[in-house]
């Protein structure tokens, strides 16, 4: 079946603009995770959902970052008033209810100019 | 706050050799330790994972060894091939909660297998 998909794949925005990054998990996966990966580093946890409930948002850097998953499927990560330091690869992963394995999508490369 | 220390940062091995990558973690509430393989321009791909109550897991040429008392686990690649050249990340669950929580990743090991 199809894997995790993310859109857009690339996003260039000007400092101060808001951006919304979308993640479509593997069909049937109840858990959805957002990570941020800097070049040459491992993914850094941001937040995750079980169904539509946000379970942990301790990794969100500040209150400009928010995420939602209103129907327990597609999720959106929103960054308000973007700053240059927000430039990174944003990755989404999902896992099924009975397993712990997380499967990553291709990521969205965000560049803030 | 979970911390994962991965070593070495980079590794060069001749084809057929056995690269070994090590990870150390702090406390976890749940024993689940995956390894991910990442090629340039791609997302991390789950390679192999070990769960509670076992000290070793093999899948093909990849083996995880787990030492719970030392809070360490390692990845061994048998009969390594140039196609194994990639960046490898270990990960660990948080120090509270369950296995479905967000993972903490190591900084990665850049592995090169020379022909």
């Amino acid at each position: 079946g199809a894997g995790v998909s993310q859109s857009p794949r690339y996003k260039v925005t000007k400092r101060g603009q808001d951006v919304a990054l979308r993640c479509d998990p593997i069909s049937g996966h109840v858990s959805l995770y957002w990570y941020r990966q800097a070049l040459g580093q491992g993914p850094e946890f941001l937040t995750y959902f079980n169904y539509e409930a946000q379970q942990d948002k301790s990794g969100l850097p500040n209150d400009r970052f928010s995420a939602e998953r209103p129907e327990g499927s597609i999720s959106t990560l929103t960054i308000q008033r973007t700053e240059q330091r927000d430039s990174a690869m944003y990755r989404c992963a999902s896992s099924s209810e009975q397993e712990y394995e997380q499967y990553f999508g291709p990521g969205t490369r965000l560049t803030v100019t | 706050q979970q911390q994962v220390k991965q070593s070495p940062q980079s590794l060069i091995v001749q084809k057929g050799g056995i690269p070994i990558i090590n990870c150390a973690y702090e406390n976890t509430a749940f024993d689940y330790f995956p390894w991910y393989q990442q090629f340039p321009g791609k997302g991390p791909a789950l390679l192999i994972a070990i769960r509670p109550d076992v000290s070793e897991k093999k899948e093909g040429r990849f083996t995880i060894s787990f030492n719970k008392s030392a809070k360490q686990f390692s990845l061994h690649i048998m009969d390594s091939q140039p196609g194994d050249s990639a960046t490898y990340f270990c990960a660990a669950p948080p120090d509270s909660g369950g296995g479905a929580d967000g993972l903490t990743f190591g900084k990665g090991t850049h592995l090169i297998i020379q022909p």
Side-chain angles (χ1 to χ4, degrees):
Chain A
V4 177
S5 61
Q6 293 185 244
S7 61
R9 294 293 308 278
Y10 303 91
K11 178 69 177 179
V12 180
T13 190
K14 292 184 183 301
R15 185 179 58 187
Q17 297 294 307
D18 298 351
V19 294
L21 312 181
R22 172 185 165 126
C23 172
D24 196 348
I26 293 172
S27 178
H29 278 195
V30 303
S31 298
L32 184 149
Y33 308 81
W34 283 100
Y35 291 86
R36 179 169 66 177
Q37 186 174 19
L39 197 62
Q41 300 293 315
E44 174 193 13
F45 170 74
L46 297 177
T47 185
Y48 92 97
F49 295 82
N50 278 341
Y51 297 96
E52 71 281 1
Q54 191 169 19
Q55 298 294 326
D56 182 357
K57 55 182 181 180
S58 62
L60 295 176
N62 51 60
D63 60 8
R64 295 186 297 106
F65 287 73
S66 63
E68 63 175 10
R69 193 186 185 197
E71 298 180 358
S73 179
I74 293 169
S75 175
T76 302
L77 177 69
T78 301
I79 308 173
Q80 296 179 312
R81 306 180 302 282
T82 53
E83 301 177 4
Q84 285 189 322
R85 58 177 173 160
D86 300 333
S87 296
M89 178 70 80
Y90 288 84
R91 297 200 186 273
C92 175
S94 68
S95 68
S96 64
E97 185 168 19
Q98 303 301 326
E99 304 290 334
Y100 306 114
E101 286 76 8
Q102 297 181 23
Y103 297 92
F104 281 81
T108 294
R109 168 72 66 187
L110 175 66
T111 302
V112 182
T113 61
Chain B
Q1 185 85 11
Q2 177 66 269
Q3 290 194 32
V4 175
K5 295 183 179 180
Q6 183 174 344
S7 62
Q9 186 174 358
S10 62
L11 184 59
I12 300 174
V13 173
Q14 294 294 315
K15 177 184 174 183
I18 305 175
I20 300 173
I21 305 171
N22 300 297
C23 269
Y25 62 94
E26 297 192 349
N27 296 312
T28 61
F30 189 86
D31 291 338
Y32 168 73
F33 302 97
W35 284 92
Y36 283 81
Q37 180 188 55
Q38 187 172 24
F39 293 106
K42 301 294 185 181
L46 180 65
L47 184 63
I48 185 173
I50 196 165
R51 296 221 194 157
D53 302 325
V54 295
S55 61
E56 186 177 277
K57 181 176 181 180
K58 291 183 180 181
E59 283 188 2
R61 295 184 295 107
F62 301 93
T63 299
I64 297 180
S65 297
F66 176 51
N67 185 334
K68 185 169 183 174
S69 61
K71 298 181 183 177
Q72 294 177 348
F73 58 107
S74 60
L75 176 69
H76 300 229
I77 306 176
M78 309 301 289
D79 187 26
S80 58
Q81 301 296 314
D84 297 329
S85 298
T87 300
Y88 292 81
F89 295 99
C90 61
D95 56 6
S96 62
D101 292 352
L103 296 169
T104 297
F105 283 79
K107 292 186 180 297
T109 296
H110 182 52
L111 174 64
I112 297 174
I113 307 298
Q114 292 183 330

